Amino acid sequence: MSKIQDLVFKEEEYKYNQPFHITNSVSTASRLITVKLHLKQGIVGLGQASLSFRVNGEVYQPLWHYREAMLNKIHGLDVRNYRRAFREIDGFSRTAPSLKAAVQYAVLDALSQDCGLPVFQLLGGARDYVETDMTIGIDSRENTVNRAREAFEQGFEVLKLKVGEDLNTDIERVLAVAEATPGAEYIIDANLGYTPKQALRFTDSMYQHDVEIALFEQPVSVHDFAGLRLVRQHCPYPVGADESVKSKYDAWRLIEEECVDFINIKLMKSGISDALAIVEQARSADIGLMIGCMGEAGIGINQSVQFAAGTGAFSYHDLDSAFLLQDADPVGYRVEGNRLYPGY
Ligand code: MN
């Protein structure tokens, strides 16, 4: 009845409203693979992959070749036994993590339709909605301040500011934003851009100017766990990992070695299965969690909205990519200001 029959991949591309600039990377468009998982009785589960070469090492064209291999692994499985399908797709964790996320989510989406229960309730139904931040890329001081002020006035109380290419201008920009948006909360993301000493110069400067930083994300390079620990131990703000955590094994090591106050889970890095494992690791170790995104449009953001509302595991939600893309309408969730409500 609820057996997996077919898997279809569809190419989609969305342009950014303005070029999205982070440390050593400028994106003008987001290329996605939307996944349709067909069950025998006509139900179609939806998922979406936003690949990342920078973070996952994924390249667009080769990903298409995984369709057949993935279908072979899960064909005939019953989505009501979704852990069996997850387990098969876990084999693609290293080679195609974003597709792993999309296909695992499509399995849940198909099950959701099959049993008449929204995905966020299948996952626990912890919250009715989540509140997203708004991300402001690297830009001139004037543009950064204008965008920050605009987002804050629109009701985005948490502003995520990208830094990491030039320490002195980063400090000036963030101080200017703090002055222009009193009452806002700030997440600072360096995307691997600083050395540990530069990261500490940045946080010292914020502290001297009484700027509260809610989270300082991935200040140093991806494999520099010692550097991350050093920054964590010597700065007054919570320090966390994004690029350094892809699998549950990365999370385990970072927690065990006391490198992080929080972890940024992204379904596109970990899929649903490892994301669920990292949630439980973080809960066990009293580590904070945020959830982030790559360049997902509506279908892709819905995956994280359902996951975050269902598990209720996250202190901060950085699920704004569909706002930054042209014509990326919500699918399966509803937007009210900075609130994202999971729908059916
Ligand atoms: Mn990040």
Side-chain angles (χ1 to χ4, degrees):
M1 273 293 282
S2 315
K3 289 185 176 163
I4 296 167
Q5 178 98 326
D6 199 7
L7 182 64
V8 178
F9 284 7
K10 182 174 165 243
E11 175 173 4
E12 290 191 72
E13 184 169 314
Y14 292 85
K15 291 202 164 32
Y16 279 97
N17 293 320
Q18 38 213 347
F20 187 55
H21 182 177
I22 67 170
T23 303
N24 299 324
S25 159
V26 179
S27 305
T28 52
S30 179
R31 286 179 94 186
L32 308 172
I33 298 174
T34 293
V35 160
K36 290 183 177 176
L37 184 96
H38 293 258
L39 304 189
K40 272 196 165 162
Q41 81 259 41
I43 285 175
V44 182
L46 277 183
Q48 190 172 68
S50 172
L51 77 156
S52 171
F53 177 69
R54 193 182 67 83
V55 178
N56 292 336
E58 293 173 306
V59 180
Y60 195 71
Q61 284 307 330
L63 285 178
W64 290 81
H65 299 293
Y66 286 101
R67 189 199 69 84
E68 207 180 328
M70 287 179 151
L71 179 58
N72 284 340
K73 290 278 186 190
I74 59 175
H75 187 268
L77 291 183
D78 189 326
V79 292
R80 296 178 191 189
N81 303 321
Y82 68 84
R83 284 284 184 180
R84 299 186 202 182
F86 280 13
R87 195 182 170 85
E88 293 297 333
I89 296 299
D90 274 339
F92 300 89
S93 297
R94 290 185 61 88
T95 47
S98 66
L99 280 178
K100 169 188 164 183
V103 174
Q104 287 186 336
Y105 188 83
V107 168
L108 285 185
D109 189 50
L111 170 62
S112 156
Q113 296 173 48
D114 182 43
C115 68
L117 202 62
V119 172
F120 84 102
Q121 289 187 316
L122 288 176
L123 294 174
R127 292 182 186 168
D128 292 332
Y129 63 88
V130 298
E131 292 186 339
T132 182
D133 65 13
M134 181 60 87
T135 302
I136 294 140
I138 295 174
D139 205 333
S140 68
R141 175 157 57 165
E142 193 190 352
N143 288 347
T144 307
V145 168
N146 286 341
R147 251 177 244 154
R149 195 184 277 129
E150 189 186 7
F152 189 53
E153 282 166 4
Q154 285 171 356
F156 293 90
E157 290 156 17
V158 181
L159 302 174
K160 172 158 162 166
L161 306 172
K162 294 289 193 179
V163 300
E165 278 191 354
D166 184 277
L167 178 63
N168 291 327
T169 57
D170 289 343
I171 291 170
E172 286 173 14
R173 279 190 306 126
V174 177
L175 291 179
V177 168
E179 206 177 295
T181 55
E185 278 194 90
Y186 307 105
I187 297 175
I188 304 293
D189 188 359
N191 289 110
L192 319 168
Y194 291 149
T195 63
K197 289 183 183 189
Q198 286 174 324
L200 290 173
R201 276 179 57 203
F202 178 85
T203 53
D204 281 351
S205 188
M206 293 301 121
Y207 190 69
Q208 278 166 23
H209 290 87
D210 290 323
V211 178
E212 271 304 319
I213 305 293
L215 301 176
F216 189 21
E217 197 182 323
Q218 195 69 48
V220 302
S221 116
V222 65
H223 298 299
D224 189 4
F225 285 18
L228 199 55
R229 183 169 53 234
L230 186 124
V231 177
R232 183 199 182 194
Q233 288 172 342
H234 292 89
C235 96
Y237 308 117
V239 170
D242 174 4
E243 285 90 334
S244 294
V245 183
K246 295 189 250 308
S247 69
K248 60 189 173 186
Y249 306 109
D250 302 327
W252 175 257
R253 234 191 100 193
L254 282 162
I255 293 170
E256 171 75 7
E257 296 182 17
E258 302 188 338
C259 299
V260 288
D261 297 298
F262 73 94
I263 286 171
N264 185 347
I265 291 180
K266 290 178 181 165
L267 299 183
M268 293 302 131
K269 298 184 294 185
S270 310
I272 310 297
S273 51
D274 276 40
L276 285 168
I278 296 169
V279 163
E280 295 309 328
Q281 288 177 349
R283 280 177 171 153
S284 307
D286 270 334
I287 293 290
L289 287 173
M290 68 179 282
I291 186 166
C293 56
M294 301 284 191
E296 297 97 306
I299 293 169
I301 283 299
N302 181 52
Q303 299 168 151
S304 297
V305 172
Q306 302 278 345
F307 186 91
T311 58
F314 303 94
S315 313
Y316 292 93
H317 306 84
D318 177 28
L319 301 178
D320 60 354
S321 58
F323 291 130
L324 309 179
L325 297 167
Q326 289 172 23
D327 306 317
D329 297 327
V331 177
Y333 66 101
R334 189 162 54 81
V335 180
E336 273 181 34
N338 66 336
R339 289 184 180 181
L340 310 175
Y341 289 81
Y344 178 52

